């Protein structure tokens, strides 16, 4: 039907929206059914072999059914990217199934090996997922940084800028907004004038445990507005709005507005009778309200009172389509957790599953015949051909690539190591980046650095001086303009290649996640390098894990590290980070001692992060200047450095003793080596550049039934020989070497909090100095001849 506007114009847009409403409502119903069924069959019909509940979130899915159907089947365009609320995964899979992008087989194996994932996963569900989600808050945060990365690429014309930008969309749970990382991101986004960002809050007023506090959301919109966002609140659906327009309707509105979240939720669960009882008690003196109560039977009253805008397809479409500019927008959509399901509104419904009886009556109400449960259109009032034709025209159905696969950028055959008698790995890193900044190659143009307020102190200064800081607008360096002398030049422009962040390590890793997905997500590769202090990896660890889980590729440079930073004192001294390096999937980690090792490793890392099956790379660097070896690195040595270890001093065949060290304690290991050499001829000194790679290769070799690199290296020693391991981190970093080969191992390292001091004092107190190594060697040698008895 075409609607005549004043002046005789015909509003075709509105007409199109009205025409598709019944189709979208039918498909929403089907998506809800499929999500519920998917979970039901996984829990109740698929045989269980382990007695564990399979789970799945029927109520969380139902809550966003209208919002997600509107987005996926109407509003979104191919260039938009989404982070779906983790617990809405079943609904997401159902919508993809309706679009023809998800197979029935995968749905039938929901939460089973190889099936549709419990939470949307980029790496396991494939191209249909833009951002993985699971750890609440992080998916929301990453969309903000993706919007920033999109701008970075467009402003530099690394991607076409003649097509409209995509909107980065997060579907967030309301309780998800308790996660601090969201607000850290919000602040950072404001600083960077982020655009094209939509956060859609599923305001069902329930979390996992309970009903969420009323007080928070009284402030949420003001909070977003302060940061320059538009806030669109979708509160009441069309039925309720019509009721409010009736005589005394205002009373009803006021009553609902004042209704505490917990009471509203409880009444949703209780249904019409409960609503009637409370409305009678509170509003019976108003004739208009009495009329409404009389006209509605219990079912109709329940429908009216739960007619929130987040479940009203027309209201939802209007709200989404009304936003045509790039101002970041937060939609607060009032919804009901479990809407349309028997446990709607019940505070315990988060992990609730419909039982077989409830499911049977739900199936009946959905008019889905037995045997047609997976049918895409069974039980809907709209003819299947019409639905099929509609789905074929949905913007997201267009087979444009959602995931790009740009070719790798060539990496130079060599990165020249900085020269100098005494160098720290941190200084070497700064100098390598400084010379990269002067290079006129494609690779340098794609490097982007970022740091949470430790750019200068992690030695990125030379790079930043040359390449500038990224900003949407050109901004002068005031200190420079005012001729105040400083080594740092902080001019900002869209050409800048450093993104300066405030102090929030979680933001660092979310930005690295977004930068590291630039290739697949937007079609232009970036080579991101993020720097931070090593101890603060833990502050952002979940975001780091999140970034790696979705296979974002980047380099993390963590410095300073360990007790080697000495006077800086206990709180800054990292201890367990190398163990994170070993245990964290998706991350290859290195702790080189020398500048030439770092040069080899950085070159390798730039290739590795671009390799299809590659990983991100973590470098743990130090501020301690140490004497550099004079040597040329040949191919074999370079391979060993990347592999994780090489003999700095080769042992004689059948040697009794070796020292294995990692990182900045190299001088102590060398001093001990020299001192012990007089008494233990032929001993060896093993330089371990990557406990992580060495450990991983050991495991892989064991599986293949072949000798590992660690074993092959240590074969040079006599079986049972003494091995002292030493590192400025937890001793477990290297002590596993004792399982890789038959040695008598003495592990040195740091296993309690650090404190201020100078290196000689601290190394002595923590037992990683040369005296401690010599002492440990003596004890180990003694054990080789006189093993400790168990008596
Ligand atoms: C970081 C993190 N902490 C805890 C959880 C466990 N958890 C899963 S869902 C949830 C509550 C979610 O509530 P809300 O965001 O409102 O989602 P909805 O009501 O839409 O299900 C919690 C605490 C998690 N997934 N991630
Ligand atoms: Mg909630």
């Amino acid at each position: 039907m075409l609607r005549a506007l004043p002046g005789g114009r015909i509003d075709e847009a509105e007409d199109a929206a009205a025409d598709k409403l019944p189709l979208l409502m039918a498909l929403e119903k089907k998506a809800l059914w499929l999500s519920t069924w998917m979970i039901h069959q996984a829990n109740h019909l698929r045989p269980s072999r382990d007695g564990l509940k399979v789970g799945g979130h029927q109520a969380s899915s139902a809550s966003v059914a209208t919002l997600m159907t509107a987005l996926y089947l109407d509003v979104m365009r191919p260039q938009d990217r989404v982070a779906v609320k983790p617990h809405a995964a079943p609904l997401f899979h159902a919508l993809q199934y309706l679009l023809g992008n998800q197979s029935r087989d995968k749905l039938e194996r929901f939460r089973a090996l190889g099936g549709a994932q419990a939470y949307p996963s980029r790496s396991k569900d494939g191209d249909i997922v833009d951002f993985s989600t699971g750890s609440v808050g992080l998916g929301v945060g990453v969309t903000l940084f993706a919007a920033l990365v999109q701008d970075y690429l467009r402003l530099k014309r690394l991607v076409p800028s003649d097509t409209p930008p995509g909107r980065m969309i997060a579907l967030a749970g309301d309780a998800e907004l308790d996660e601090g990382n969201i607000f850290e991101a919000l602040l950072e986004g404001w600083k960077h004038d982020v655009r094209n960002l939509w956060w859609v809050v599923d305001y069902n007023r329930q979390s996992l445990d309970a009903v969420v506090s009323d007080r928070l959301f009284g402030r949420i919109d003001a909070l977003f507005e302060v940061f320059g966002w538009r806030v669109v609140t979708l509160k009441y659906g069309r039925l309720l709005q019509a009721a409010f327009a009736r005589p005394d309707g205002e009373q009803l509105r006021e009553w609902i507005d004042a209704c505490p979240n917990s009471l509203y939720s409880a009444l949703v669960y209780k249904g019409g009778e409960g609503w009637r009882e409370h409305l009678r008690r509170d509003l019976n003196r108003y004739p208009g309200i009495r009329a409404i109560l009389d006209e509605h039977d219990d079912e109709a009253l329940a429908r009216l009172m739960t007619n929130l805008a987040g479940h009203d397809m027309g209201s939802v479409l209007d709200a989404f389509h009304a936003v045509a500019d790039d101002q970041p927008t937060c939609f607060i959509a009032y919804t009901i957790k479990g809407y349309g399901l028997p446990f709607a509104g019940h505070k315990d419904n988060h992990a609730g599953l419909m039982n077989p009886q409830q499911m049977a009556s739900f199936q009946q109400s959905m008019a889905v015949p037995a045997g047609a449960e997976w049918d895409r259109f069974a039980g809907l009032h709209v003819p299947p051909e019409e639905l099929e034709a509609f789905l074929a025209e949905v913007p997201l159905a267009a087979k444009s690539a959602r995931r790009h696969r740009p070719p790798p950028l060539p990496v130079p055959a060599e990165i020249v190591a900085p020269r100098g008698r005494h160098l720290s790995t941190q200084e070497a890193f700064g100098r390598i980046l400084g010379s990269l900044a002067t290079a006129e190659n494609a690779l340098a143009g794609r490097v982007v650095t970022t740091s949470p307020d430790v750019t200068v102190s992690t030695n990125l200064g030379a790079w930043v001086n040359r390449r500038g800081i990224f900003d949407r607008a050109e901004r002068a360096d005031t200190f420079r303009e005012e001729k105040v002398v400083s080594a740092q030049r902080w001019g900002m422009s869209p050409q800048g290649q450093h993104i300066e962040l405030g102090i929030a390590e979680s933001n660092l890793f979310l930005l690295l996640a977004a930068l590291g997905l630039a290739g697949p997500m937007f079609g232009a590769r970036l080579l991101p390098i993020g720097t931070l202090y090593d101890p603060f990896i833990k502050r952002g660890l979940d975001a780091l894990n999140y970034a790696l889980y979705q296979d974002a590729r980047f380099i993390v440079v963590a410095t300073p590290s360990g007790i080697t930073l000495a006077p800086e004192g206990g709180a800054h001294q990292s201890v367990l980070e190398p163990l994170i390096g070993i245990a964290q999937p998706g991350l290859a980690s290195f702790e080189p001692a020398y500048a030439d090792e770092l040069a080899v490793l950085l070159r390798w890392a730039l290739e590795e992060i671009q390799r299809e099956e590659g990983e991100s790379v973590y470098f743990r660097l130090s501020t301690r200047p140490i004497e550099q070896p004079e040597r040329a690195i040949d191919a074999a040595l370079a391979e060993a450095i990347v592999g994780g270890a090489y003999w700095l001093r080769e042992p004689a065949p059948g040697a009794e003793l070796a020292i294995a060290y990692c990182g900045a304690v190299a001088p102590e290991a060398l001093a001990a080596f020299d001192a012990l050499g007089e008494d233990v001829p032929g001993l060896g000194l093993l330089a371990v550049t990557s406990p992580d790679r060495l450990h991983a290769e050991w495991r892989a070799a064991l599986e293949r039934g072949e000798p590992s690199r660690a074993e092959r290296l240590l074969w040079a020693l006599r079986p049972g020989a003494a091995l002292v391991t030493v590192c400025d981190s937890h001793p477990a970093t290297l002590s596993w070497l004792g399982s890789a080969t038959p040695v008598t191992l003495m592990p040195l390292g740091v296993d309690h909090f650090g404190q201020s001091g100078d290196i000689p004092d601290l190394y002595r107190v923590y037992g990683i100095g040369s005296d401690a190594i010599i002492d440990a060697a003596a004890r180990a040698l003694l054990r080789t001849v006189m093993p400790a008895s168990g008596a």
Side-chain angles (χ1 to χ4, degrees):
M1 186 190 73
L2 296 182
R3 189 177 315 191
L5 291 176
R9 229 163 24 87
I10 303 290
D11 186 347
E12 289 182 26
E14 209 170 290
D15 177 68
D19 280 356
K20 61 193 171 192
L21 211 54
L23 294 150
L24 284 166
M25 286 167 71
L27 291 167
E28 172 196 339
K29 191 173 154 191
K30 183 50 71 180
L32 173 65
W33 161 258
L34 285 168
S35 69
T36 315
W37 173 251
M38 186 186 319
I39 298 168
H40 182 74
Q41 65 87 39
N43 283 275
H44 292 282
L45 306 177
R46 203 162 67 206
S48 167
R49 293 185 301 176
D50 53 16
L52 288 183
K53 172 182 168 181
V54 178
H57 299 88
Q58 289 174 331
S60 277
S61 289
S63 184
V64 279
T66 322
L67 295 164
M68 280 182 63
T69 304
L71 283 171
Y72 275 89
L73 302 189
D74 187 54
V75 177
M76 276 166 57
R77 300 168 309 200
Q79 66 269 35
D80 298 335
R81 298 287 179 272
V82 200
V84 173
K85 183 183 79 161
H87 308 84
L91 194 90
F92 166 78
H93 293 309
L95 286 166
Q96 294 294 349
Y97 178 64
L98 290 176
L99 280 167
N101 298 331
Q102 176 63 288
S103 69
R104 172 173 165 179
D105 170 59
K106 293 238 180 194
L107 298 193
E108 287 188 279
R109 288 187 293 130
F110 173 60
R111 292 189 165 218
L113 189 66
Q117 295 295 297
Y119 305 109
S121 166
R122 257 187 87 79
S123 49
K124 305 201 187 74
D125 285 316
D127 289 10
I128 54 176
V129 174
D130 300 324
F131 301 101
S132 303
T133 48
S135 178
V136 298
L138 297 177
V140 182
V142 82
T143 55
L144 183 145
F145 292 102
L148 189 63
V149 170
Q150 179 178 238
D151 275 352
Y152 183 95
L153 297 171
R154 288 173 69 90
L155 287 165
K156 289 189 168 59
R157 306 205 183 284
L158 293 173
V159 292
S161 48
D162 49 356
T163 50
R167 289 162 301 196
M168 302 297 116
I169 304 173
L171 282 150
D174 48 348
E176 201 165 355
L177 293 195
D178 283 328
E179 281 290 0
N181 86 269
I182 292 183
F183 299 95
E184 293 180 358
L186 197 63
L187 260 63
E188 201 58 59
W190 183 77
K191 288 189 239 168
H192 290 278
D193 194 16
V194 71
R195 316 261 104 205
N196 301 300
L197 189 59
W198 282 16
W199 286 357
V200 182
V201 181
D202 174 9
Y203 186 35
N204 59 25
R205 298 164 307 285
Q206 283 185 246
S207 60
L208 193 163
D209 278 340
V211 175
V212 303
S213 153
D214 299 293
R215 288 173 61 82
L216 178 67
F217 270 76
R219 288 283 171 270
I220 281 285
D221 35 359
L223 203 134
F224 275 93
E225 278 160 4
V226 162
F227 290 107
W229 286 56
R230 174 195 294 114
V231 177
V232 177
T233 303
L234 288 94
K235 193 162 186 183
Y236 296 119
R238 291 168 179 190
L239 291 179
L240 270 175
Q241 287 186 29
F244 298 154
R246 292 174 51 152
D248 294 328
E250 249 338 276
Q251 303 301 328
L252 184 64
R253 179 203 289 274
E254 279 172 27
W255 187 90
I256 304 185
D257 279 346
C259 184
N261 286 347
S262 48
L263 177 61
Y264 187 87
S265 295
L267 293 180
V268 168
Y269 180 70
K270 286 173 81 175
E273 226 175 299
W275 289 113
R276 194 176 300 281
E277 187 192 326
H278 276 261
L279 289 171
R280 272 225 179 97
R281 200 170 63 199
D282 296 342
L283 301 179
N284 217 32
R285 60 186 179 284
Y286 300 105
I289 301 294
R290 287 201 301 273
I292 291 175
L293 291 178
D294 290 345
E295 283 166 32
H296 291 74
D297 64 11
D298 280 355
E299 204 186 313
L301 186 61
R303 196 174 323 119
L304 173 68
M305 295 301 288
T306 58
N307 178 240
L308 300 181
H311 294 301
D312 187 304
M313 184 61 83
S315 306
V316 168
L317 291 176
D318 286 351
F320 285 148
H321 285 299
V323 175
D325 59 15
D326 65 359
Q327 182 184 4
T329 302
C330 176
F331 298 89
I332 299 177
Y334 279 65
T335 57
I336 288 166
K337 193 153 172 171
Y339 186 70
L341 308 181
F343 42 49
H346 196 291
K347 72 183 177 67
D348 305 335
N349 66 11
H350 184 79
L353 296 174
M354 283 157 74
N355 64 32
Q357 292 76 33
Q358 289 172 321
M359 196 64 198
S361 55
F362 183 59
Q363 180 161 5
Q364 208 171 16
S365 72
M366 286 277 168
V368 176
E373 288 86 356
W374 293 111
D375 193 293
R376 283 159 77 229
F377 307 123
L380 301 180
H381 294 305
V382 187
E385 320 76 69
E386 250 180 75
L387 293 167
E388 201 73 84
F390 173 78
L391 283 169
E393 293 299 314
V394 165
L396 277 199
K399 290 285 172 243
S400 61
R402 246 190 129 59
R403 222 172 267 188
H404 307 271
R405 291 177 171 81
L409 302 158
V411 176
E414 189 192 8
I415 287 185
V416 179
R419 301 187 63 80
R421 185 121 188 268
H422 287 87
L423 281 177
S424 71
T425 43
Q426 173 174 317
E427 188 190 344
F429 165 70
R431 285 172 52 182
I432 291 171
L433 254 80
S435 27
L436 188 65
T438 61
E440 293 291 330
N441 55 31
L443 184 92
R446 296 300 180 93
V447 169
V448 50
T449 57
T450 178
S451 184
D453 201 27
V454 290
T455 298
V456 177
S457 50
T458 54
N459 244 324
L460 277 177
W463 163 266
V464 173
N465 280 347
R466 187 96 198 178
R467 292 277 167 166
I469 295 183
F470 171 74
D471 197 285
R472 289 172 62 88
E474 204 88 37
R475 290 178 213 275
D477 177 351
T478 311
F479 277 73
R480 201 171 154 76
E481 300 236 306
E482 294 295 326
K483 302 198 170 40
V484 177
V485 179
S486 165
Q488 313 305 328
R489 290 197 293 275
W490 283 62
M492 301 181 181
S493 77
Q495 286 75 47
Q497 282 182 251
H498 173 78
I499 301 179
E500 180 70 6
L501 295 172
I503 324 163
E505 286 70 16
S506 172
N507 280 344
L508 170 74
F509 290 120
L510 289 182
L511 175 57
L512 286 173
L515 290 167
L517 291 174
M521 194 152 296
F522 301 114
R525 268 180 201 280
L526 291 174
L527 303 169
I529 303 180
T531 69
L532 80 168
Y533 293 176
D534 196 49
F536 305 131
I537 285 185
K538 294 189 293 295
R539 175 69 79 103
L541 189 53
D542 198 25
L544 170 62
N545 180 65
Y546 173 73
L548 298 167
Y549 178 64
Q550 49 198 326
D551 204 22
R553 300 292 181 76
F554 48 86
I555 295 171
V556 182
V557 176
T559 174
S561 58
I563 63 168
T564 302
L565 68 79
E568 278 278 317
H572 281 34
Q573 291 166 335
S574 60
V575 172
L576 56 85
E577 282 65 9
L579 298 179
I580 294 172
I582 290 177
Q584 176 63 56
L587 191 66
S589 57
F590 295 88
E591 187 171 356
Y594 298 118
D596 57 2
E597 295 170 354
L598 181 65
V600 166
L601 291 170
L602 263 174
R603 201 210 76 80
W604 175 83
L606 289 167
E607 254 173 18
E608 174 68 7
I609 61 170
Q610 300 193 70
R611 213 162 53 78
E612 183 76 21
E613 301 298 321
E615 293 186 305
S616 288
V617 182
Y618 155 37
F619 290 110
R620 186 177 195 245
L621 304 186
S622 170
T623 40
R624 181 189 188 192
I626 61 173
E627 192 176 340
Q628 301 292 305
E630 280 193 26
R631 60 182 175 185
I633 293 192
D634 60 16
L637 181 53
E639 192 275 334
I641 289 169
V642 170
Y646 64 94
W647 287 112
L648 188 67
R649 301 282 184 271
E650 195 90 36
E656 291 291 321
L657 170 70
I659 301 165
Y661 75 91
C662 183
V665 293
E668 281 62 34
L670 266 165
F673 173 87
D674 289 341
L676 286 161
E678 292 168 18
D679 298 326
V680 193
L683 86 165
L685 182 59
L686 189 70
V688 180
T689 49
S690 174
D692 172 39
R693 301 257 301 164
L694 210 51
H695 185 276
E697 194 272 345
W698 169 51
R699 291 242 311 140
L702 283 177
E703 235 162 73
R704 289 196 308 270
E706 291 167 9
S708 67
R709 181 185 292 268
E711 271 175 294
R712 290 197 313 270
L713 282 162
L714 295 170
W715 270 343
L717 310 180
R718 156 179 99 65
L723 178 67
V724 178
T725 60
V726 58
C727 50
D728 181 358
S729 59
H730 194 274
T733 307
L734 291 176
S735 64
W736 60 268
L737 281 170
S739 306
T741 50
V743 286
T744 303
L745 189 122
M746 201 59 76
L748 303 182
V750 180
D751 55 9
H752 45 287
F753 292 116
Q755 57 186 312
S756 293
D758 64 4
I759 287 179
D761 270 349
L762 293 183
Y763 280 10
R764 178 172 44 76
V765 170
Y766 290 84
I768 56 173
S770 48
D771 286 350
I773 299 171
I774 293 166
D775 193 46
R779 278 181 287 127
L781 284 167
L782 193 63
R783 282 173 81 100
T784 63
V785 286
M786 270 200 310
S789 98

